[in-house]
Amino acid sequence: MSFLKVAENSDFPIQNLPYGVFSTAGNPIHRIGVAIGDQILDLSIVKHLFTGPVLSSSQHVFTQPTLNSFMALGRDAWREARAFLQKLLSANEPALRDNKELRKKAFISQDLATMHLPADIGDYTDFYSSRQHATNVGVMFRGKDNALMSNWLYLPVGYHGRASSVVVSGTPVRRPLGQMKPDDTRDIQKWEYVPLGPFLGKSFGTTISPWVVTMEALLPFVVANPVQDPTPLPYLQSEDPYTFDINLFVSIKGEEMAEKATICRTNFKNMYWTMKQQLAHHTINGCNIRPGDLLASGTISGHSPENFGSMLELSWKGTKAIDLGSGHNRKFLQDGDEVILTGFCQGNGYRVGFGECAGKVLPAVQTY
């Protein structure tokens, strides 16, 4: 338990302690902080307290404007930092609890902070690792008998995304403009992805939460990996469970709506390919991964319609309306709609959450 008061439904109890980059009106410098309850602990203020065997000589990483340098230190540094922060913020540790002057400098209300991208993202890869999602899309576009492509059960399918278009939560996303067929196939992505994969339909905006939750915080929520048939090749095999019970939600709030409407409730454990398998396949050819690189799971769908993770599935390619309540519905997103993604792991009396990931759809800019 922390000496700071943390609400039971907060995303950020002492069991979480995610990292982010923030600034304030009084100090526009981007700096690294840790979320605890509704507060941010400014690590640039308390960096001198990191005196462990790894971080004592690397305190400078907490004065950087991004997390890249800290990420580059490796797992020993991450584990040491987490253990120290949990001790520093605990109810029975006086170093910060009883130092009123240091506390006044070190803590900032999240309401007073502006959040920024937590890292310089050099590369971005998006995977396609939910079997139900891939099956649903395949049924829509190729029919039930040819739903999954022949390679899907043998390797984690992915594509190289546009790192420069990754934005932090709260940043509006402008509707893409591109070629669309005039018939009922209507979709930019479907028309142009053959034969080399997604292009304009996937390169205009990717919204991420400002908070980076550590794997150590997620380990209490690990569950058994899915049974994979056929058995993957040896480099993709692992006996260690690396699937996680993370509740995921998607909501929409239109400009005409008084409240947001939750349209999807799914779970990260619906992934077929694990994060370890994704990374193993990504690097098997010698591809180098750098600190700050972003790897995404892709859409995650469950087996029931309310667990479908995309509007493509929820509206079944625009053939049925999604009920948003109070007489509102959607088949596709409209200009002005705000999409809100949230996720959390539920513990005994606490939750480990990822914060809000939200963006409003702006109209496309007509250029032709």
Coordinates of all heavy atoms in Angstrom, one line a residue, residues 64-155:
Q64 N 16.1 12.7 -19.1 CA 16.0 12.7 -20.5 C 14.5 13.1 -20.9 O 13.6 12.8 -20.1 CB 16.4 11.4 -21.1 CG 17.8 10.9 -20.8 CD 18.8 12.0 -21.3 OE1 18.8 12.3 -22.5 NE2 19.7 12.4 -20.4
P65 N 14.3 13.6 -22.1 CA 12.9 13.9 -22.5 C 12.1 12.8 -23.1 O 10.9 12.9 -23.4 CB 13.2 15.0 -23.6 CG 14.5 14.6 -24.2 CD 15.3 14.1 -23.1
T66 N 12.7 11.6 -23.1 CA 12.0 10.4 -23.6 C 12.5 9.2 -22.7 O 13.5 9.3 -22.0 CB 12.2 10.0 -25.0 OG1 13.6 9.7 -25.2 CG2 11.9 11.2 -26.0
L67 N 11.9 8.1 -22.9 CA 12.2 6.9 -22.1 C 13.3 6.0 -22.8 O 13.7 5.0 -22.3 CB 11.0 6.0 -21.9 CG 10.0 6.5 -20.8 CD1 8.7 5.7 -20.9 CD2 10.6 6.3 -19.4
N68 N 13.7 6.4 -24.0 CA 14.6 5.6 -24.8 C 15.9 5.2 -24.0 O 16.3 4.0 -24.1 CB 15.0 6.2 -26.1 CG 13.8 6.4 -27.0 OD1 12.9 7.2 -26.7 ND2 13.8 5.7 -28.1
S69 N 16.6 6.1 -23.4 CA 17.8 5.8 -22.7 C 17.6 4.9 -21.5 O 18.4 3.9 -21.3 CB 18.5 7.1 -22.2 OG 18.9 7.9 -23.2
F70 N 16.5 5.1 -20.8 CA 16.1 4.1 -19.7 C 15.8 2.8 -20.2 O 16.3 1.7 -19.7 CB 15.0 4.7 -18.9 CG 14.5 3.8 -17.8 CD1 15.3 3.2 -16.9 CD2 13.1 3.6 -17.6 CE1 14.9 2.4 -15.9 CE2 12.6 2.8 -16.6 CZ 13.5 2.2 -15.8
M71 N 15.1 2.7 -21.3 CA 14.8 1.4 -21.9 C 16.0 0.7 -22.4 O 16.1 -0.6 -22.2 CB 13.9 1.6 -23.2 CG 12.4 2.1 -22.9 SD 11.5 2.4 -24.4 CE 9.9 2.7 -23.8
A72 N 17.0 1.4 -22.8 CA 18.2 0.8 -23.4 C 19.1 0.2 -22.3 O 20.0 -0.7 -22.6 CB 19.1 1.9 -24.1
L73 N 18.8 0.5 -21.0 CA 19.6 -0.1 -19.9 C 19.3 -1.6 -19.7 O 20.2 -2.3 -19.1 CB 19.3 0.7 -18.6 CG 19.8 2.1 -18.5 CD1 19.5 2.7 -17.2 CD2 21.3 2.2 -18.8
G74 N 18.2 -2.0 -20.1 CA 17.9 -3.5 -20.0 C 17.1 -3.8 -18.8 O 16.8 -3.0 -17.9
R75 N 16.8 -5.2 -18.7 CA 15.8 -5.6 -17.7 C 16.3 -5.5 -16.2 O 15.5 -5.2 -15.3 CB 15.5 -7.1 -17.9 CG 14.3 -7.6 -17.1 CD 14.0 -9.0 -17.4 NE 12.7 -9.4 -16.7 CZ 12.3 -10.7 -16.6 NH1 13.1 -11.7 -17.1 NH2 11.2 -11.0 -15.9
D76 N 17.6 -5.6 -16.0 CA 18.1 -5.5 -14.6 C 17.8 -4.1 -14.1 O 17.5 -3.9 -12.9 CB 19.6 -5.8 -14.6 CG 20.0 -7.2 -14.7 OD1 19.1 -8.1 -14.6 OD2 21.2 -7.6 -15.0
A77 N 18.0 -3.1 -15.0 CA 17.7 -1.7 -14.6 C 16.2 -1.5 -14.3 O 15.8 -0.8 -13.4 CB 18.3 -0.7 -15.6
W78 N 15.4 -2.1 -15.2 CA 14.0 -1.9 -15.1 C 13.5 -2.5 -13.8 O 12.6 -1.9 -13.1 CB 13.2 -2.5 -16.3 CG 13.8 -2.1 -17.6 CD1 14.4 -1.0 -17.9 CD2 13.7 -2.9 -18.8 NE1 14.8 -1.0 -19.3 CE2 14.3 -2.1 -19.8 CE3 13.1 -4.1 -19.1 CZ2 14.4 -2.6 -21.2 CZ3 13.2 -4.6 -20.5 CH2 13.8 -3.8 -21.4
R79 N 14.0 -3.7 -13.5 CA 13.5 -4.4 -12.3 C 14.0 -3.7 -11.0 O 13.3 -3.5 -10.0 CB 14.0 -5.8 -12.3 CG 13.4 -6.7 -13.4 CD 13.9 -8.1 -13.4 NE 13.3 -8.9 -12.3 CZ 13.5 -10.2 -12.2 NH1 14.3 -10.9 -13.1 NH2 12.9 -10.9 -11.2
E80 N 15.2 -3.2 -11.1 CA 15.7 -2.4 -9.9 C 14.9 -1.1 -9.7 O 14.6 -0.8 -8.6 CB 17.2 -2.1 -10.2 CG 17.9 -1.3 -9.0 CD 19.3 -1.0 -9.3 OE1 20.1 -2.0 -9.5 OE2 19.7 0.2 -9.5
A81 N 14.6 -0.4 -10.8 CA 13.8 0.8 -10.7 C 12.5 0.5 -10.1 O 12.0 1.3 -9.2 CB 13.7 1.5 -12.1
R82 N 11.8 -0.5 -10.6 CA 10.5 -0.8 -10.1 C 10.5 -1.2 -8.6 O 9.6 -0.7 -7.9 CB 9.9 -2.0 -10.9 CG 8.5 -2.5 -10.4 CD 7.9 -3.5 -11.4 NE 6.8 -4.2 -10.7 CZ 5.6 -3.7 -10.7 NH1 5.3 -2.5 -11.2 NH2 4.6 -4.3 -10.1
A83 N 11.4 -2.0 -8.2 CA 11.5 -2.4 -6.8 C 11.8 -1.2 -5.9 O 11.2 -1.0 -4.8 CB 12.6 -3.4 -6.6
F84 N 12.7 -0.3 -6.4 CA 12.9 0.9 -5.6 C 11.7 1.8 -5.5 O 11.4 2.4 -4.4 CB 14.1 1.7 -6.2 CG 14.3 3.0 -5.6 CD1 14.8 3.1 -4.3 CD2 14.0 4.2 -6.2 CE1 15.0 4.4 -3.7 CE2 14.1 5.4 -5.7 CZ 14.6 5.5 -4.4
L85 N 11.0 2.0 -6.6 CA 9.9 2.9 -6.6 C 8.8 2.4 -5.7 O 8.1 3.1 -5.0 CB 9.4 3.1 -8.0 CG 10.3 4.0 -8.9 CD1 9.9 3.9 -10.4 CD2 10.2 5.5 -8.4
Q86 N 8.6 1.1 -5.7 CA 7.5 0.5 -4.9 C 7.9 0.7 -3.4 O 7.0 1.0 -2.6 CB 7.3 -1.0 -5.2 CG 6.6 -1.2 -6.5 CD 6.2 -2.7 -6.6 OE1 6.9 -3.6 -6.4 NE2 4.9 -2.9 -7.1
K87 N 9.2 0.6 -3.1 CA 9.6 0.8 -1.7 C 9.5 2.3 -1.4 O 9.0 2.7 -0.3 CB 11.1 0.4 -1.6 CG 11.7 0.7 -0.2 CD 13.1 0.3 -0.1 CE 13.7 0.7 1.3 NZ 15.1 0.4 1.4
L88 N 9.9 3.2 -2.3 CA 9.9 4.6 -2.0 C 8.5 5.2 -1.8 O 8.2 6.1 -1.0 CB 10.5 5.4 -3.2 CG 10.6 6.9 -3.1 CD1 11.6 7.3 -2.0 CD2 11.0 7.5 -4.5
L89 N 7.5 4.6 -2.5 CA 6.1 5.0 -2.4 C 5.3 4.2 -1.4 O 4.1 4.5 -1.2 CB 5.5 4.9 -3.8 CG 6.0 5.9 -4.9 CD1 5.6 5.5 -6.2 CD2 5.6 7.3 -4.5
S90 N 5.9 3.3 -0.7 CA 5.1 2.5 0.2 C 4.8 3.2 1.5 O 5.5 4.2 1.8 CB 5.9 1.2 0.5 OG 7.1 1.5 1.3
A91 N 3.8 2.8 2.2 CA 3.3 3.5 3.4 C 4.3 3.5 4.5 O 4.3 4.4 5.3 CB 2.0 2.8 3.8
N92 N 5.2 2.5 4.6 CA 6.1 2.5 5.7 C 7.5 2.9 5.4 O 8.5 2.7 6.1 CB 6.2 1.0 6.2 CG 6.6 0.0 5.2 OD1 6.8 0.4 4.0 ND2 6.6 -1.3 5.5
E93 N 7.7 3.7 4.3 CA 9.0 4.2 3.9 C 9.0 5.7 4.1 O 8.3 6.4 3.4 CB 9.3 3.8 2.4 CG 10.6 4.5 1.9 CD 11.8 4.1 2.6 OE1 11.9 2.9 3.0 OE2 12.6 5.0 2.9
P94 N 9.8 6.2 5.0 CA 9.8 7.7 5.3 C 10.5 8.6 4.4 O 10.3 9.8 4.4 CB 10.4 7.7 6.7 CG 11.4 6.6 6.7 CD 10.8 5.5 5.9
A95 N 11.4 8.1 3.5 CA 12.3 9.0 2.7 C 11.6 10.0 2.0 O 12.0 11.2 2.0 CB 13.2 8.1 1.8
L96 N 10.5 9.7 1.3 CA 9.7 10.7 0.6 C 8.4 11.0 1.3 O 8.0 12.2 1.3 CB 9.3 10.1 -0.8 CG 8.6 11.0 -1.8 CD1 9.4 12.3 -2.0 CD2 8.4 10.3 -3.1
R97 N 7.9 10.1 2.0 CA 6.7 10.3 2.8 C 6.8 11.5 3.8 O 5.9 12.3 3.9 CB 6.3 9.0 3.5 CG 5.0 9.1 4.3 CD 4.9 7.9 5.3 NE 6.0 8.0 6.3 CZ 6.3 7.1 7.2 NH1 5.7 5.9 7.1 NH2 7.2 7.2 8.1
D98 N 7.9 11.5 4.5 CA 8.1 12.5 5.6 C 8.9 13.7 5.2 O 9.2 14.6 6.0 CB 8.8 11.8 6.8 CG 8.0 10.7 7.4 OD1 6.8 10.6 7.1 OD2 8.6 9.9 8.1
N99 N 9.3 13.8 3.9 CA 10.0 15.0 3.4 C 9.1 15.9 2.6 O 8.9 15.8 1.4 CB 11.2 14.5 2.5 CG 12.1 15.6 2.1 OD1 11.8 16.8 2.1 ND2 13.4 15.3 1.9
K100 N 8.4 16.8 3.4 CA 7.4 17.6 2.8 C 7.9 18.5 1.6 O 7.2 18.7 0.6 CB 6.8 18.5 3.9 CG 6.0 17.7 4.9 CD 5.3 18.7 5.9 CE 4.5 17.9 6.9 NZ 3.9 18.8 7.9
E101 N 9.1 19.0 1.8 CA 9.7 19.9 0.7 C 9.9 19.1 -0.6 O 9.6 19.6 -1.7 CB 11.0 20.5 1.2 CG 11.6 21.5 0.2 CD 12.9 22.1 0.7 OE1 13.2 22.0 1.9 OE2 13.6 22.8 -0.1
L102 N 10.5 17.9 -0.4 CA 10.7 17.1 -1.6 C 9.4 16.6 -2.2 O 9.3 16.6 -3.5 CB 11.6 15.9 -1.2 CG 12.0 15.0 -2.4 CD1 12.8 15.7 -3.4 CD2 12.8 13.8 -1.9
R103 N 8.5 16.3 -1.4 CA 7.2 15.8 -1.9 C 6.5 16.9 -2.7 O 5.9 16.7 -3.8 CB 6.2 15.4 -0.8 CG 6.5 14.1 -0.2 CD 5.6 13.7 0.9 NE 4.2 13.6 0.5 CZ 3.2 13.3 1.2 NH1 3.4 12.9 2.5 NH2 2.0 13.2 0.8
K104 N 6.6 18.2 -2.2 CA 6.0 19.3 -2.9 C 6.6 19.5 -4.3 O 5.8 19.8 -5.3 CB 6.1 20.6 -2.1 CG 5.4 21.8 -2.7 CD 5.5 23.0 -1.7 CE 4.7 24.2 -2.3 NZ 4.8 25.4 -1.4
K105 N 7.9 19.2 -4.5 CA 8.5 19.4 -5.7 C 8.3 18.2 -6.7 O 8.2 18.3 -7.9 CB 10.0 19.6 -5.5 CG 10.5 20.8 -4.8 CD 12.0 20.9 -4.7 CE 12.4 22.1 -4.0 NZ 13.9 22.1 -3.8
A106 N 8.2 17.0 -6.0 CA 8.2 15.8 -6.8 C 6.9 15.3 -7.4 O 6.8 14.6 -8.4 CB 8.8 14.7 -6.0
F107 N 5.8 15.7 -6.7 CA 4.5 15.3 -7.2 C 3.7 16.3 -7.9 O 3.7 17.5 -7.5 CB 3.7 14.8 -6.0 CG 4.1 13.5 -5.4 CD1 4.8 13.4 -4.2 CD2 3.9 12.3 -6.1 CE1 5.2 12.2 -3.7 CE2 4.3 11.1 -5.6 CZ 5.0 11.0 -4.4
I108 N 3.1 15.9 -9.0 CA 2.3 16.8 -9.8 C 1.0 16.1 -10.1 O 0.9 14.9 -10.4 CB 3.0 17.1 -11.2 CG1 4.3 17.9 -11.0 CG2 2.0 17.9 -12.1 CD1 5.5 17.0 -10.9
S109 N -0.1 16.8 -9.9 CA -1.5 16.3 -10.3 C -1.5 16.0 -11.7 O -1.1 16.8 -12.6 CB -2.6 17.2 -9.9 OG -3.8 16.8 -10.3
Q110 N -2.1 14.8 -12.1 CA -2.2 14.5 -13.5 C -3.1 15.5 -14.2 O -2.9 15.7 -15.4 CB -2.8 13.1 -13.7 CG -1.8 12.0 -13.2 CD -2.4 10.6 -13.5 OE1 -3.1 10.4 -14.5 NE2 -2.0 9.6 -12.7
D111 N -4.0 16.1 -13.5 CA -4.9 17.1 -14.2 C -4.1 18.3 -14.6 O -4.5 19.1 -15.5 CB -6.0 17.6 -13.2 CG -7.0 16.5 -12.9 OD1 -7.1 15.6 -13.7 OD2 -7.6 16.6 -11.8
L112 N -2.9 18.6 -14.1 CA -2.1 19.8 -14.4 C -1.0 19.4 -15.4 O -0.2 20.3 -15.8 CB -1.5 20.4 -13.1 CG -2.5 20.8 -12.1 CD1 -1.7 21.3 -10.9 CD2 -3.4 21.9 -12.6
A113 N -0.9 18.2 -15.8 CA 0.1 17.8 -16.7 C -0.3 17.6 -18.2 O -1.5 17.2 -18.4 CB 0.7 16.4 -16.2
T114 N 0.6 17.9 -19.1 CA 0.4 17.6 -20.5 C 1.2 16.4 -20.8 O 2.4 16.4 -20.6 CB 0.8 18.8 -21.4 OG1 -0.1 19.9 -21.1 CG2 0.6 18.4 -22.9
M115 N 0.6 15.3 -21.4 CA 1.3 14.1 -21.7 C 1.8 14.1 -23.1 O 1.2 14.7 -24.0 CB 0.4 12.9 -21.4 CG -0.1 12.8 -20.0 SD 1.1 12.8 -18.7 CE 2.1 11.3 -19.1
H116 N 2.9 13.5 -23.3 CA 3.6 13.4 -24.6 C 3.9 12.0 -25.0 O 3.8 11.1 -24.2 CB 4.9 14.2 -24.6 CG 4.7 15.6 -24.1 ND1 4.2 16.6 -24.9 CD2 4.9 16.2 -22.9 CE1 4.1 17.8 -24.2 NE2 4.6 17.5 -23.0
L117 N 4.3 11.7 -26.2 CA 4.8 10.4 -26.6 C 5.9 10.0 -25.6 O 6.8 10.7 -25.4 CB 5.3 10.4 -28.0 CG 4.2 10.4 -29.1 CD1 4.9 10.4 -30.5 CD2 3.4 9.1 -29.1
P118 N 5.8 8.8 -25.1 CA 6.8 8.4 -24.1 C 8.1 8.0 -24.6 O 9.1 8.0 -23.9 CB 6.1 7.1 -23.5 CG 5.2 6.6 -24.5 CD 4.7 7.8 -25.2
A119 N 8.2 7.8 -25.9 CA 9.5 7.4 -26.5 C 9.6 8.0 -28.0 O 8.6 8.2 -28.6 CB 9.7 5.9 -26.5
D120 N 10.8 8.1 -28.4 CA 11.1 8.3 -29.8 C 10.9 7.0 -30.5 O 11.7 6.0 -30.3 CB 12.5 8.9 -30.1 CG 12.6 10.3 -29.7 OD1 11.6 11.1 -29.8 OD2 13.7 10.7 -29.3
I121 N 9.9 6.9 -31.4 CA 9.6 5.6 -32.0 C 10.2 5.5 -33.3 O 9.8 6.2 -34.3 CB 8.0 5.4 -32.1 CG1 7.4 5.5 -30.7 CG2 7.7 4.1 -32.8 CD1 5.9 5.6 -30.7
G122 N 11.3 4.7 -33.4 CA 12.0 4.6 -34.7 C 11.3 3.7 -35.7 O 11.3 4.0 -36.9
D123 N 10.7 2.6 -35.2 CA 10.0 1.7 -36.1 C 8.7 1.2 -35.5 O 8.6 1.2 -34.2 CB 10.9 0.5 -36.5 CG 11.8 0.8 -37.6 OD1 11.4 1.1 -38.8 OD2 13.1 0.8 -37.4
Y124 N 7.8 0.8 -36.3 CA 6.5 0.4 -35.8 C 6.0 -0.8 -36.6 O 5.9 -0.7 -37.8 CB 5.5 1.6 -35.9 CG 4.0 1.2 -35.8 CD1 3.6 0.3 -34.9 CD2 3.1 1.8 -36.6 CE1 2.2 0.0 -34.8 CE2 1.8 1.5 -36.6 CZ 1.3 0.6 -35.6 OH 0.0 0.3 -35.6
T125 N 5.7 -1.9 -35.9 CA 5.2 -3.1 -36.6 C 3.9 -3.5 -36.0 O 3.7 -3.5 -34.7 CB 6.2 -4.3 -36.4 OG1 7.4 -4.0 -37.0 CG2 5.6 -5.5 -37.1
D126 N 2.9 -3.7 -36.8 CA 1.6 -4.1 -36.3 C 1.3 -5.5 -36.8 O 1.5 -5.9 -37.9 CB 0.5 -3.2 -36.9 CG -0.8 -3.3 -36.2 OD1 -0.9 -4.0 -35.2 OD2 -1.8 -2.8 -36.7
F127 N 0.9 -6.4 -35.8 CA 0.6 -7.8 -36.1 C -0.9 -8.0 -36.3 O -1.7 -7.1 -36.2 CB 1.2 -8.7 -35.0 CG 2.7 -8.8 -35.0 CD1 3.5 -7.9 -34.2 CD2 3.3 -9.8 -35.7 CE1 4.8 -8.1 -34.2 CE2 4.7 -9.9 -35.7 CZ 5.4 -9.0 -35.0
Y128 N -1.2 -9.2 -36.6 CA -2.5 -9.7 -37.0 C -2.7 -11.0 -36.3 O -2.9 -12.0 -37.0 CB -2.5 -9.8 -38.5 CG -3.9 -10.0 -39.2 CD1 -5.0 -9.3 -38.9 CD2 -4.0 -11.0 -40.2 CE1 -6.2 -9.5 -39.6 CE2 -5.2 -11.2 -40.9 CZ -6.3 -10.5 -40.6 OH -7.5 -10.7 -41.2
S129 N -2.8 -11.0 -35.0 CA -2.5 -12.2 -34.2 C -3.8 -12.7 -33.5 O -3.6 -13.6 -32.6 CB -1.4 -12.0 -33.2 OG -0.2 -11.8 -33.9
S130 N -4.9 -12.2 -33.7 CA -6.2 -12.7 -33.1 C -6.8 -13.6 -34.2 O -7.2 -13.2 -35.2 CB -7.1 -11.6 -32.8 OG -8.4 -12.1 -32.5
R131 N -6.9 -14.9 -33.8 CA -7.5 -15.9 -34.8 C -8.9 -15.6 -35.1 O -9.3 -15.6 -36.3 CB -7.4 -17.3 -34.2 CG -7.9 -18.3 -35.2 CD -7.5 -19.7 -34.7 NE -8.0 -20.7 -35.7 CZ -7.6 -22.0 -35.7 NH1 -6.9 -22.5 -34.7 NH2 -8.1 -22.9 -36.6
Q132 N -9.7 -15.2 -34.1 CA -11.1 -14.9 -34.4 C -11.3 -13.7 -35.3 O -12.1 -13.7 -36.2 CB -11.9 -14.7 -33.1 CG -13.4 -14.6 -33.3 CD -14.0 -15.9 -33.9 OE1 -13.6 -17.0 -33.5 NE2 -14.8 -15.7 -34.9
H133 N -10.5 -12.6 -35.1 CA -10.5 -11.5 -35.9 C -10.1 -11.8 -37.4 O -10.8 -11.4 -38.3 CB -9.6 -10.4 -35.4 CG -9.4 -9.2 -36.3 ND1 -10.5 -8.4 -36.7 CD2 -8.3 -8.7 -37.0 CE1 -10.0 -7.4 -37.5 NE2 -8.7 -7.6 -37.7
A134 N -9.0 -12.5 -37.5 CA -8.6 -12.9 -38.9 C -9.6 -13.8 -39.6 O -9.8 -13.7 -40.8 CB -7.2 -13.7 -38.8
T135 N -10.3 -14.7 -38.8 CA -11.3 -15.5 -39.3 C -12.5 -14.7 -39.8 O -13.0 -14.9 -40.9 CB -11.7 -16.6 -38.3 OG1 -10.6 -17.4 -38.0 CG2 -12.8 -17.5 -38.9
N136 N -12.9 -13.8 -38.9 CA -14.1 -13.0 -39.3 C -13.8 -12.2 -40.6 O -14.7 -12.1 -41.5 CB -14.4 -12.0 -38.2 CG -15.0 -12.7 -37.0 OD1 -15.5 -13.8 -37.1 ND2 -15.0 -12.0 -35.8
V137 N -12.7 -11.5 -40.7 CA -12.3 -10.8 -41.8 C -12.3 -11.7 -43.1 O -12.7 -11.3 -44.2 CB -11.0 -10.0 -41.6 CG1 -10.6 -9.3 -42.9 CG2 -11.2 -9.0 -40.5
G138 N -11.7 -12.8 -42.9 CA -11.6 -13.8 -44.0 C -12.9 -14.3 -44.5 O -13.1 -14.4 -45.7
V139 N -13.8 -14.5 -43.6 CA -15.2 -14.9 -44.0 C -15.9 -13.9 -44.8 O -16.5 -14.1 -45.8 CB -16.0 -15.3 -42.7 CG1 -17.5 -15.5 -43.1 CG2 -15.5 -16.6 -42.1
M140 N -15.7 -12.6 -44.4 CA -16.3 -11.5 -45.1 C -15.8 -11.3 -46.5 O -16.6 -11.0 -47.4 CB -16.1 -10.2 -44.3 CG -17.1 -10.0 -43.2 SD -16.9 -8.3 -42.4 CE -15.8 -8.8 -41.0
F141 N -14.5 -11.5 -46.6 CA -13.9 -11.1 -47.9 C -13.5 -12.3 -48.8 O -13.3 -12.2 -50.0 CB -12.6 -10.3 -47.7 CG -12.9 -8.9 -47.1 CD1 -12.5 -8.6 -45.9 CD2 -13.7 -8.0 -47.9 CE1 -12.8 -7.3 -45.3 CE2 -14.0 -6.8 -47.3 CZ -13.6 -6.4 -46.1
R142 N -13.4 -13.5 -48.2 CA -13.0 -14.7 -49.0 C -14.0 -15.9 -48.9 O -13.8 -16.9 -49.6 CB -11.6 -15.2 -48.7 CG -10.5 -14.2 -49.1 CD -9.1 -14.7 -48.8 NE -9.0 -15.0 -47.3 CZ -8.6 -14.0 -46.5 NH1 -8.3 -12.8 -46.9 NH2 -8.4 -14.3 -45.2
G143 N -14.9 -15.8 -47.9 CA -15.8 -16.9 -47.7 C -15.3 -17.8 -46.6 O -14.2 -17.9 -46.2
K144 N -16.3 -18.6 -46.0 CA -16.0 -19.4 -44.8 C -15.0 -20.5 -45.1 O -14.2 -20.8 -44.2 CB -17.3 -20.1 -44.4 CG -17.2 -20.9 -43.1 CD -18.6 -21.4 -42.6 CE -18.4 -22.1 -41.3 NZ -19.8 -22.7 -40.8
D145 N -14.9 -21.0 -46.3 CA -14.0 -22.2 -46.6 C -12.6 -21.7 -46.8 O -11.7 -22.5 -46.8 CB -14.5 -22.9 -47.8 CG -15.9 -23.6 -47.6 OD1 -16.1 -23.9 -46.4 OD2 -16.6 -23.8 -48.6
N146 N -12.4 -20.4 -47.0 CA -11.0 -19.9 -47.2 C -10.8 -18.7 -46.3 O -10.1 -17.8 -46.7 CB -10.9 -19.5 -48.7 CG -9.4 -19.3 -49.1 OD1 -8.5 -19.9 -48.5 ND2 -9.2 -18.3 -50.0
A147 N -11.3 -18.8 -45.0 CA -11.2 -17.6 -44.1 C -9.8 -17.3 -43.8 O -9.4 -16.1 -43.9 CB -12.0 -17.9 -42.9
L148 N -9.0 -18.3 -43.3 CA -7.6 -18.0 -42.9 C -6.7 -18.3 -44.1 O -6.8 -19.3 -44.8 CB -7.2 -18.9 -41.7 CG -7.8 -18.6 -40.4 CD1 -7.2 -19.6 -39.3 CD2 -7.4 -17.2 -39.9
M149 N -5.8 -17.3 -44.3 CA -4.8 -17.5 -45.4 C -3.9 -18.7 -45.0 O -3.8 -19.1 -43.8 CB -3.9 -16.3 -45.6 CG -4.8 -15.1 -46.0 SD -5.5 -15.2 -47.6 CE -4.1 -14.8 -48.7
S150 N -3.3 -19.4 -46.0 CA -2.5 -20.6 -45.7 C -1.4 -20.5 -44.8 O -1.0 -21.4 -44.1 CB -2.0 -21.2 -47.1 OG -1.2 -20.2 -47.7
N151 N -0.8 -19.3 -44.6 CA 0.3 -19.1 -43.7 C -0.1 -18.7 -42.3 O 0.8 -18.8 -41.4 CB 1.3 -18.0 -44.3 CG 0.6 -16.6 -44.3 OD1 -0.6 -16.5 -44.2 ND2 1.4 -15.6 -44.4
W152 N -1.3 -18.4 -42.0 CA -1.7 -17.8 -40.8 C -1.4 -18.6 -39.5 O -1.0 -18.1 -38.5 CB -3.2 -17.4 -40.8 CG -3.4 -16.3 -39.8 CD1 -3.5 -14.9 -40.0 CD2 -3.7 -16.4 -38.4 NE1 -3.7 -14.2 -38.9 CE2 -3.9 -15.1 -37.9 CE3 -3.8 -17.5 -37.5 CZ2 -4.2 -14.9 -36.5 CZ3 -4.1 -17.3 -36.2 CH2 -4.3 -16.0 -35.7
L153 N -1.6 -19.9 -39.6 CA -1.4 -20.8 -38.4 C 0.1 -21.2 -38.3 O 0.4 -22.0 -37.4 CB -2.3 -22.0 -38.5 CG -3.8 -21.8 -38.4 CD1 -4.6 -23.0 -38.7 CD2 -4.1 -21.2 -37.0
Y154 N 1.0 -20.7 -39.2 CA 2.4 -21.1 -39.1 C 3.3 -20.0 -38.7 O 4.4 -20.2 -38.2 CB 2.8 -21.6 -40.5 CG 2.2 -22.9 -40.9 CD1 0.9 -22.9 -41.5 CD2 2.8 -24.1 -40.6 CE1 0.3 -24.1 -41.8 CE2 2.2 -25.3 -40.9 CZ 1.0 -25.3 -41.5 OH 0.4 -26.5 -41.8
L155 N 2.8 -18.7 -38.7 CA 3.7 -17.6 -38.3 C 2.9 -16.4 -38.0 O 1.7 -16.2 -38.4 CB 4.7 -17.3 -39.5 CG 4.1 -16.9 -40.9 CD1 3.7 -15.5 -41.0 CD2 5.1 -17.3 -41.9

